Amino acid sequence: VTLWFGIMECSTGKVVSVNAGHEHPAIRRAGGRFELLKGKSNFVIGGLPDMVYEEYEFVLNDGDSLFLYTDGVPEATDRNDSAFGLDRMIDALNIDGDADPKTLITNVENMISGFVGDAAQFDDITMLSIKRPSKKANQ
């Protein structure tokens, strides 16, 4: 089983996370573009007895966004068995990088659908996006 697990302290945006063989999340810093957040990646869960999983930390600042997804997103394939890939996923996220999480997910869904066409889906496609509000939005 692969897993990415993170706990965010809402008051500071500090995230403590563990990656057990899962896809790296994508992050967008306020005013920037989405890119992969490559932290420490450990072995899958249940693969080895007594495995110790190393965590890593990062901060989700005001206005930053985080995008999590299963491997069914980059591995979605078209009729020619070409994969959607991480580059297309990042491009889809950056269509409107400052959008709300629902719009970001819709943009990725639409780009996947356009890419795969009528090819059969063979894996789950699961996505989660969060955006830390900027202080300006709260005033």
Side-chain angles (χ1 to χ4, degrees):
V1 174
T2 68
L3 170 82
W4 187 92
F5 182 81
I7 299 173
M8 183 174 85
E9 184 177 283
C10 293
S11 63
T12 65
K14 177 182 171 184
V15 178
V16 178
S17 61
V18 173
N19 187 338
H22 198 67
E23 300 288 329
H24 293 288
I27 192 168
R28 178 187 178 271
R29 300 297 182 185
R33 296 180 54 77
F34 273 96
E35 59 187 37
L36 292 181
L37 177 66
K38 294 188 177 180
K40 173 70 178 161
S41 187
N42 299 279
F43 197 61
V44 298
I45 291 185
L48 295 172
D50 303 319
M51 179 73 186
V52 176
Y53 294 89
E54 293 182 49
E55 59 189 39
Y56 64 99
E57 298 178 2
F58 62 95
V59 175
L60 204 59
N61 296 304
D62 293 345
D64 290 354
S65 295
L66 189 66
F67 179 78
L68 303 160
Y69 55 97
T70 58
D71 61 359
V73 172
E75 293 176 3
T77 56
D78 64 10
R79 298 178 114 239
N80 300 316
D81 286 330
S82 296
F84 182 68
L86 291 171
D87 290 340
R88 284 187 185 91
M89 182 191 79
I90 295 294
D91 288 346
L93 289 168
N94 285 316
I95 289 170
D96 186 7
D98 196 34
D100 62 276
K102 183 177 180 180
T103 301
L104 289 173
I105 289 171
T106 298
N107 288 345
V108 176
E109 286 177 326
N110 290 342
M111 200 157 169
I112 290 170
S113 293
F115 176 80
V116 301
D118 61 358
Q121 181 178 333
F122 69 92
D123 199 0
D124 72 290
I125 294 177
T126 305
M127 297 176 272
L128 171 72
S129 182
I130 62 171
K131 183 173 185 177
R132 186 155 186 234
S134 63
K135 288 189 172 140
K136 289 180 185 177
N138 294 330
Q139 294 177 350

